[in-house]
């Protein structure tokens, strides 16, 4: 068990050691985002910005202009929540080499409550031209994604979680290329982030009931792996998406767009149902708001 | 460069501002005319010769209040960096001279500006990047005074002072005018000098229409160590054209053909 933010922490240190142009930035939460790990060994490559996320994005744009590879990080509710305009104009429109790292995403922030439970970020980031969006499913994938982001040219938005979760990916990671974790012919679950784990649990349970489900880890939300989605729609009878995000504008929205334009299919979206969360233990919140294997299984069965 | 030559450049820049805005029938006339003298000094005096090279470590300039880009485009033309006839493509489809600057085809732009309070943040990041690598070049950033009502400007000011970015020169077009009126009637900025000083900057005040003083302000900024420098250029919106002078209603409108003819006559 390890949090995706820890995968980022490991990779950013490795990257910084190899390349002096790698810069980790933080807005006073570097210990939480794990960016501070760079400070301990390479203080020159760590930039503290204070509680000023808008300026941090601008500073990152400027560092990119100076030839650096900046990784600004903060809590997801503030980055991108606080600085959408800066991301739009100074990063995406400018098309600069900035790697945005948003930790503490989604409902599983838990006790801090709804102010800190960002579930609209994918919708905001998906609408931006030039943006590439990655949502790693576990710590190992977060590590690989961070390494891939550093060698990728252009803006990247990476969404990470606070909670420790199981590690189940195999380390294969390519931006824009989804990984099929279970083959199946009855239905397909397309998930990202934390919900990939719950999708695997759902698939295992459904198997016992004789339902053969494919599970796709859609770690890159933009550009989305259209081929894998269309193939799934052709080869299986229904599509269910699962994400720790509002059901509008995120993974479910992206999959629905691909399907409706290319291969209309029966589908359901599991995610936050147009609501705000509340304080509570992550597992209790996931159950209360319907983001577990139970809801995924129900969605699959309702379509077959 | 003596005053008379700078005056000649500023005159040409003002005439081109009138011409391009009249052609585009939209754009920001007042602030553009008001900053012609400062831009002349910036490009014909302050920026290092390396600015005009492909050297990645060159001096850089970011226009944070992107809406006064006509003065900047006209200055680039006066300096021979773009062709004068291209100025007439301002705000037209397929032009690289966008209504607000964009870096895509116009490398001098560095990054897009237009949404206020952002260019100054990027300039601090650029200055920090140079510092980290021990590069000697300077970063310049121009702001509008109304723009200083944006909170992110003050985030950047705190940051630059904390990081001791003495390779950064910021300057403001202090014309006391923003789109809907006088800055002090909206959300007042005074005492501006004291505020910026209190944020840890070296502050210089200068008449933004006196070349000797503008040049000196840019020169003095280069000598300051351990602190970034902020120059408050006292300017007049519409300087050089009597019917635009000090009139906030000229913030975001272009002259008519008749007005343009009168303005150019006055400027000649």
């Amino acid at each position: 068990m390890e949090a995706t933010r820890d995968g980022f922490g490991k990779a950013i240190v490795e990257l910084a050691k190899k390349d002096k142009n790698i810069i980790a930035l933080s807005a006073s939460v570097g210990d939480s985002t794990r960016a501070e790990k760079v400070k301990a060994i390479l203080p020159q490559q760590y930039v503290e910005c204070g509680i000023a996320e808008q300026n941090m994005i601008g500073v990152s744009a400027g560092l990119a202009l100076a030839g650096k590879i900046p990784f600004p990080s903060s809590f997801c509710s503030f980055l991108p929540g606080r600085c959408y305009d800066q991301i739009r104009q100074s990063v995406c429109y400018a098309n600069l080499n900035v790697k945005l790292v948003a930790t503490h995403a989604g409902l599983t922030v838990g006790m801090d409550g709804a102010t800190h439970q960002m579930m609209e970020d994918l919708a905001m980031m998906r609408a931006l031209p030039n943006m590439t969006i990655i949502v790693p499913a576990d710590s190992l994938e977060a590590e690989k994604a961070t390494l891939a982001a550093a060698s990728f040219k252009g803006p990247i938005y990476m969404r990470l979680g606070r909670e420790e979760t199981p590690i189940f990916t195999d380390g294969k990671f390519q931006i824009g290329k989804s990984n099929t974790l279970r083959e199946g012919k009855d239905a397909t679950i397309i998930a990202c982030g934390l919900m990939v784990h719950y999708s695997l649990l759902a698939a295992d349970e459904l198997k016992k009931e004789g339902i053969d489900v494919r599970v796709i880890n859609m770690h890159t939300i933009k550009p989305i792996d259209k081929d894998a989605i269309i193939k799934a729609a052709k080869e299986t009878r229904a599509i269910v998406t699962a994400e720790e995000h509002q059901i509008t504008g995120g993974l479910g929205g992206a999959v629905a767009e691909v399907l409706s334009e290319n291969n209309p299919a029966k589908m359901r979206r599991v995610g936050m149902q147009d609501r705000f969360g509340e304080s509570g233990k992550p597992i209790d919140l996931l159950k209360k708001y319907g983001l577990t294997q139970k809801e995924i299984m129900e969605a699959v069965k309702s379509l077959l | 460069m003596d005053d008379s030559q700078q005056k000649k450049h500023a005159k040409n820049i003002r005439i081109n501002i009138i011409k391009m805005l009249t052609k585009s029938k939209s754009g920001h006339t007042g602030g553009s005319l008001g900053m012609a003298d400062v831009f002349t000094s910036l490009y014909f005096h302050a920026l290092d010769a390396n600015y005009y090279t492909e050297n990645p470590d060159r001096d850089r300039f970011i226009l944070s209040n992107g809406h006064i880009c006509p003065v900047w485009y006209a200055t680039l033309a006066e300096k021979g960096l773009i062709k004068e006839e291209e100025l007439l493509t301002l705000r037209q489809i397929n032009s690289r001279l966008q209504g607000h600057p964009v870096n895509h085809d116009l490398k001098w732009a560095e990054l897009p500006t237009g949404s206020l309070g952002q260019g100054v943040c990027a300039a601090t990041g650029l200055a920090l990047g140079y510092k980290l690598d021990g590069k000697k070049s300077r970063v310049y950033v121009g702001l509008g005074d109304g723009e200083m009502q944006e909170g992110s400007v003050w985030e950047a000011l705190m940051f630059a002072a904390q990081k001791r970015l003495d390779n950064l020169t910021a300057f403001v077009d202090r014309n006391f005018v923003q789109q809907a009126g006088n800055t002090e009637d909206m959300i007042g900025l005074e005492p501006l000098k004291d505020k910026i000083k209190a944020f840890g900057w070296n502050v210089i005040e200068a008449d933004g229409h006196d070349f000797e003083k503008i040049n000196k302000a840019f020169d003095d900024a280069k000598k300051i160590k351990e602190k970034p420098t902020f120059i408050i250029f006292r300017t007049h919106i519409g300087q050089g054209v009597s019917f635009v002078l000090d009139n906030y209603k000229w913030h975001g409108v272009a002259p008519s053909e008749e007005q343009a003819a009168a303005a150019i006559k006055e400027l000649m």
Side-chain angles (χ1 to χ4, degrees), chain A residues 9 28 50 53 89 115 128 137 142 150 159 167 185 195 201 224 235 249 257 275 303:
Chain A
S28 194
E53 295 81 9
Q89 178 174 286
T115 56
L128 289 171
R159 183 187 212 242
I167 296 172
K185 58 183 186 328
M195 297 309 287
L201 296 179
I224 201 154
E235 294 176 357
E257 287 162 19
R275 301 171 70 183
L303 294 171

Side-chain angles (χ1 to χ4, degrees), chain A residues 17-147:
Chain A
K17 279 187 198 163
K18 282 186 205 141
D19 183 353
K20 74 176 176 65
N21 285 325
I22 298 282
I23 308 285
L25 297 94
S26 178
S28 194
V29 288
D31 49 344
S32 299
T33 68
R34 305 299 191 238
E36 217 173 75
K37 295 203 172 295
V38 174
K39 184 183 176 184
I41 53 159
L42 296 159
Q44 280 282 92
Q45 286 170 250
Y46 178 79
V47 177
E48 178 56 68
C49 296
I51 307 168
E53 295 81 9
Q54 299 175 46
N55 184 53
M56 178 168 70
I57 300 305
V59 166
S60 300
L63 285 168
L65 288 172
K68 303 290 178 187
I69 305 173
F71 281 76
S73 63
S74 186
F75 294 167
C76 193
S77 43
F78 317 130
L79 188 180
R82 187 56 172 263
C83 43
Y84 179 80
D85 189 18
Q86 281 75 13
I87 295 170
R88 178 178 182 270
Q89 178 174 286
S90 292
V91 176
C92 283
Y93 189 26
N95 204 11
L96 291 175
N97 200 22
V98 176
K99 318 301 174 184
L100 306 159
V101 180
T103 68
H104 297 59
L107 205 51
T108 49
V109 172
M111 305 293 194
D112 282 336
T115 56
H116 286 53
Q117 292 162 352
M118 174 51 102
M119 280 173 286
E120 300 81 39
D121 55 306
L122 294 178
M124 283 197 282
M125 295 297 99
R126 271 191 64 219
L128 289 171
N130 293 339
M131 186 62 100
T132 293
I133 304 172
I134 302 171
V135 186
D138 65 15
S139 177
L140 179 61
E141 192 162 78
E143 196 179 329
K144 300 292 177 190
T146 305
L147 299 176

Side-chain angles (χ1 to χ4, degrees), chain A residues 228-243:
Chain A
I229 297 169
I230 295 166
K231 189 164 177 276
K234 285 188 172 149
E235 294 176 357
T236 69
R237 287 151 53 204
I239 306 281
V240 169
T241 58
E243 63 197 305

Side-chain angles (χ1 to χ4, degrees), chain A residues 49 52-56 58-59 85-86, chain B residues 63-66 114-125 141-162 168 170-173 189 192 195-196 199-201 228 230:
Chain A
C49 296
E53 295 81 9
Q54 299 175 46
N55 184 53
M56 178 168 70
V59 166
D85 189 18
Q86 281 75 13
Chain B
L63 180 65
S64 198
N65 57 333
S115 176
L116 296 172
Q118 294 195 32
V120 61
C121 303
T124 60
V141 59
L143 296 100
D145 52 0
E147 177 178 19
M148 298 196 73
Q149 290 161 356
E150 289 280 7
S152 57
V153 171
W154 300 92
E155 291 184 2
L157 294 191
M158 278 191 273
F159 181 92
Q162 176 82 21
L168 177 63
F171 59 88
V172 66
D173 173 14
L189 297 164
L192 187 57
K195 284 178 182 168
I196 302 169
F199 272 63
W201 285 57
F230 203 107

